[in-house]
Amino acid sequence: MIEYKNPRFMQALLRQPVDRAPIWVMRQAGRYMPEYRAIRTKVPDFLTLCKTPELACEVTMLPIDRFGFDAAILFSDILMIPDAMQLGLKFVQNEGPTFARVITSKRDVEQLPTLDPEEDTPYIANSVQLIKKALDQKIPLIGFAGSPWTVATYMVEGKTSKQHNKIRGMVYSSPDIAHQLLSHLTTETIKYLQAQISAGVDCVMVFDTWGGVLEDNLYQEFSLQYMQQIVAALDIPVILFTKNGGRCLLQQAQTGCVGLGLDWTADLKQAKETVGDMVALQGNLDPAVLYADPTTIASKARQILDVYAGETGFIFNLGHGITPDISPEHVQVLVETVQNYV
Ligand code: 1CP
């Protein structure tokens, strides 16, 4: 394994001794940073930013240089796989992603292409290589993909959805079509993550933003099962994150992953008791705490740090992505609180 100047993220993930808890935050390179918004105006749309390795690298490095986070995460999106499948993905300003073609039938699933990461998403490996060079072995780089279930929700709904009625309807009315779609996405996601691994990422995280909309047994059948296949296929530490997934932590820990992300609705102390020394935990400050004053931010962060005080196996993070209207000064308070915690 590569020796990092700052190794505490990988140490905590592998439950080796650490000097303090590492910190990074989901969506750390995003719209809350004025430096990001400035780079974003140079390109016509968000997808172009993701597909231009020099810019993706520059954006990835912004929060590292400004805040000194303990890990970097590849700047990209979970929808690059369906984008490469030519489904007409567009990011409409303030509306999120929309697809021109949606998946509704068995025929739609059967017509989905098989991708070759070198041909279809070459910018991913190119970005990883540039970022690794820019990081200069200072801190590790996290690669990522969406969970097959979460990516499928966008392909079936055609856009961001709160109810997910179309895909949840499919689970009950045509479970075979749902499984066929999820199997295909699993195969593609494994190849996509393997390309990131070959290019140099140190671990990968699977984002299951919408697994928590399913009842527990259906979550296991339609989301967790496929994440487990991804974990089994990869020869690298994997972090699984299911938003609203706190009810199935033991099952998640049993997949063979090394870390679990927790949103803020999970009680960290209880979660720690549930998983024991099976996996490291990552989370779980409510991102909305960052709207509060510095004293409140520091005190809420310390409450979380107290759970693992003096122990390894914990990575400080938010329970979900940072929102665009957060002040960077408040992020600075959070980072310093974690850095100075004793
Ligand atoms: O206008 C802009 O500049 C685009 C905003 C933006 C950004 C900065 C989007 C659009 N994606 C991203 C980057 C991104 N997305 C990262 C980069 C690395 C980092 O964390 O710094 C990552 C890991 C993601 C992952 C992602 N994309 C998820 C899973 C995690 C989560 O937040 O739940 C999801 C669901 C998406 C889809 C997506 N991408 C962007 C939007 C607006 C959405 C829709 C979100 C929704 O449905 O509510």
Side-chain angles (χ1 to χ4, degrees):
M1 194 176 270
I2 309 165
E3 295 274 333
Y4 286 97
K5 290 164 197 151
N6 166 356
R8 66 173 75 81
F9 170 80
M10 290 306 291
Q11 287 169 335
L13 185 57
L14 301 173
R15 285 173 290 111
Q16 297 163 357
V18 277
D19 56 347
R20 65 158 171 85
I23 174 173
W24 70 280
V25 305
M26 289 189 266
R27 295 272 175 109
Q28 62 191 16
R31 284 170 292 180
Y32 78 101
M33 286 188 83
E35 301 91 329
Y36 170 83
R37 296 196 299 271
I39 295 174
R40 179 73 173 69
T41 59
K42 292 191 203 168
V43 287
D45 53 50
F46 168 70
L47 280 176
T48 307
L49 186 52
C50 295
K51 292 179 189 177
T52 311
E54 292 73 22
L55 292 180
C57 173
E58 200 182 333
V59 168
T60 301
M61 296 302 292
L62 291 175
I64 309 306
D65 295 339
R66 177 158 182 173
F67 301 110
F69 286 118
D70 296 302
I73 180 162
L74 166 67
F75 188 82
S76 185
D77 199 78
I78 64 162
L79 298 177
M80 302 320 279
I81 290 179
D83 174 65
M85 289 175 172
Q86 311 294 337
L87 297 173
L89 172 63
K90 280 208 176 88
F91 280 87
V92 184
Q93 198 74 41
N94 301 324
E95 271 179 54
T98 59
F99 284 95
R101 287 171 286 290
V102 292
I103 305 301
T104 57
S105 65
K106 196 172 171 63
R107 194 155 170 267
D108 291 337
V109 177
E110 282 166 358
Q111 285 182 343
L112 285 172
T114 293
L115 301 176
D116 171 357
E118 270 184 49
E119 283 272 311
D120 299 304
T121 50
Y123 42 84
I124 293 287
N126 293 340
S127 295
V128 169
Q129 284 161 357
L130 283 185
I131 298 164
K132 286 294 287 186
K133 220 183 267 169
L135 286 171
D136 191 25
Q137 298 191 19
K138 218 166 74 187
I139 50 171
L141 177 63
I142 305 167
F144 75 93
S147 73
W149 167 261
T150 290
V151 173
T153 64
Y154 289 94
M155 294 167 73
V156 171
E157 303 287 337
K159 58 180 177 0
T160 291
S161 161
K162 289 210 165 66
Q163 305 268 358
H164 302 100
N165 284 334
K166 293 198 178 95
I167 191 153
R168 289 192 304 119
M170 186 188 272
V171 159
Y172 296 106
S173 60
S174 328
D176 53 325
I177 301 178
H179 277 305
Q180 204 176 347
L181 172 58
L182 292 163
S183 291
H184 185 65
L185 283 172
T186 301
T187 307
E188 295 305 324
T189 304
I190 289 168
K191 287 190 290 185
Y192 179 80
L193 288 172
Q194 277 166 341
Q196 295 182 30
I197 294 165
S198 305
V201 300
D202 299 275
C203 69
V204 300
M205 175 151 161
V206 180
F207 287 89
D208 188 25
T209 307
W210 302 119
V213 305
L214 291 168
E215 63 175 78
D216 293 354
N217 61 337
L218 292 180
Y219 162 69
Q220 290 179 54
E221 180 182 344
F222 288 88
S223 187
L224 190 60
Q225 179 196 171
Y226 294 100
M227 291 198 283
Q228 171 150 29
Q229 289 178 25
I230 293 170
V231 172
L234 301 179
D235 198 12
I236 198 167
V238 180
I239 304 171
L240 299 183
F241 169 62
T242 299
K243 184 158 172 274
N244 252 303
R247 296 183 308 273
C248 295
L249 284 183
L250 194 58
Q251 292 87 341
Q252 290 169 29
Q254 286 164 343
T255 58
C257 66
V258 302
L260 288 180
L262 294 179
D263 77 5
W264 65 91
T265 64
D267 181 88
L268 183 60
K269 205 159 162 237
Q270 265 175 29
K272 183 184 181 218
E273 278 160 24
T274 305
V275 302
D277 57 10
M278 291 172 79
V279 290
L281 292 178
Q282 172 176 280
N284 71 336
L285 186 75
D286 185 343
V289 168
L290 292 172
Y291 291 113
D293 58 281
T295 314
T296 308
I297 295 171
S299 129
K300 292 298 287 183
R302 278 196 291 264
Q303 262 176 34
I304 287 178
L305 290 161
D306 285 345
V307 176
Y308 275 85
E311 290 178 71
T312 187
F314 178 65
I315 296 158
F316 194 99
N317 205 314
L318 301 178
H320 197 209
I322 185 166
T323 40
D325 53 349
I326 290 297
S327 142
E329 283 73 36
H330 286 197
V331 176
Q332 186 70 45
V333 170
L334 177 67
V335 172
E336 284 173 10
T337 304
V338 178
Q339 287 172 343
N340 298 330
Y341 179 85
V342 275

